[in-house]
Amino acid sequence: MKTLIVYSSLTGNTKKVAEAVQEVFGEAAELFPVEEKPPADGYDLVAVGFWVDRGTADKKAQDYITGLRNKKVALFATLGAYPDSEHAQKSMANAVALIDDSNQFIGSFICQGKVDPKLVEQFKNLPAGHPHAMNPERAARHQEAAKHPDESDLANAKTIFAEFRQKLHAGGL
Ligand SMILES: Cc1cc2nc3c(=O)[nH]c(=O)nc-3n(C[C@H](O)[C@H](O)[C@H](O)COP(=O)(O)O)c2cc1C
C-alpha cells in the first residue's frame, strides 16, 4: 500500500508529527512539504497534516485537501488549544468538511503544538477584554502547548496511524 504524507508546518510542530506518521509506514510512505504540491496519483492513502489557523486547516493545507479525488484520506494536525477541546474538534471537523466526496475519509489525529512566541507576545499586548487578550487560563494553555508535540503525542500519532494501516491492510476501511 503506497502512502503519501503531505504536511504544512510553519514552525515545525506538524512536521514532527508527519515524521512520526512516516515511521509507521516505513519505506511504503513518502513525505513532502505541502509547498511541493506532490501529485497524489498512484498512492492508496494520502495523509495530510496541517496547523490550525483560526479554527480550520491553514490555507496551504486547505488547498491541498480540496484538490484530492478518489483517495483514502487521513488528516492530522497540531494546534495551540487543548486537543480534547471543542475548538480542536471543530477545527478538525472544518478540515474534514473540505474533503471531496469522491474520497474516503479514514480518520484523524490532533495534538497540541507550541504557539509561535512572537504570536504569544502579541497576545500579551492586547487590551483586556479583547477575545485573545492574555489571561491566566490562556497563559497556562500556552505554557502547556510549549511542551508539545512531545514524545507521548508522537507515540499516540503512531498508534492511531498504525490502526489505520492495519485496517486498510485487512480491507476493513
Ligand atoms: C496565525 C496563527 C493562527 C493560529 N490559529 C490558531 C487557532 O485558531 N487555534 C489554535 O488552537 N491554535 C492556533 N494557532 C497555533 C498553531 O496552530 C500551533 O502553534 C501549531 O502547532 C503550529 O504548527 P506548526 O509548527 O506546524 O506551524 C495559530 C497560530 C498562528 C501563527
Side-chain angles (χ1 to χ4, degrees):
M1 189 188 60
K2 275 186 77 184
T3 300
L4 174 65
I5 304 162
V6 182
Y7 66 90
S8 178
S9 185
L10 274 185
T11 63
N13 298 331
T14 314
K15 184 180 183 194
K16 280 188 195 163
V17 179
E19 287 167 350
V21 170
Q22 188 185 27
E23 280 180 38
V24 171
F25 294 93
E27 304 228 318
E30 292 185 66
L31 178 75
F32 294 94
V34 72
E35 288 81 4
E36 290 191 26
K37 301 181 182 158
D41 315 333
Y43 292 95
D44 307 299
L45 172 65
V46 183
V48 185
F50 60 89
W51 57 277
V52 171
D53 183 1
R54 287 159 293 167
T56 186
D58 68 273
K59 179 72 172 71
K60 287 180 185 173
Q62 280 196 26
D63 289 347
Y64 194 82
I65 293 167
T66 52
L68 292 171
R69 296 289 180 278
N70 304 309
K71 298 288 164 199
K72 293 184 193 305
V73 179
L75 298 182
F76 58 94
T78 66
L79 84 171
Y82 295 118
D84 57 357
S85 63
E86 200 182 330
H87 178 66
Q89 274 177 27
K90 280 193 179 159
S91 300
M92 183 54 79
N94 287 337
V96 172
L98 300 170
I99 301 173
D100 183 81
D101 286 346
S102 65
N103 299 289
Q104 187 191 350
F105 174 59
I106 301 298
S108 66
F109 171 79
I110 193 162
C111 70
Q112 246 182 329
K114 63 183 172 318
V115 180
D116 188 340
K118 279 181 264 166
L119 196 64
V120 177
E121 279 309 308
Q122 285 175 22
F123 288 149
K124 283 184 187 159
N125 294 328
L126 292 171
H130 186 284
H132 285 143
M134 200 47 86
N135 57 33
E137 190 267 332
R138 178 160 280 128
R141 181 154 24 92
H142 285 156
Q143 269 174 25
E144 183 57 35
K147 302 177 203 156
H148 297 267
D150 61 14
E151 285 308 313
S152 158
D153 296 322
L154 301 181
N156 289 339
K158 285 186 199 176
T159 302
I160 297 274
F161 274 83
E163 280 171 23
F164 297 161
R165 187 197 55 189
Q166 203 72 29
K167 284 187 187 157
L168 285 167
H169 273 301
L173 283 174

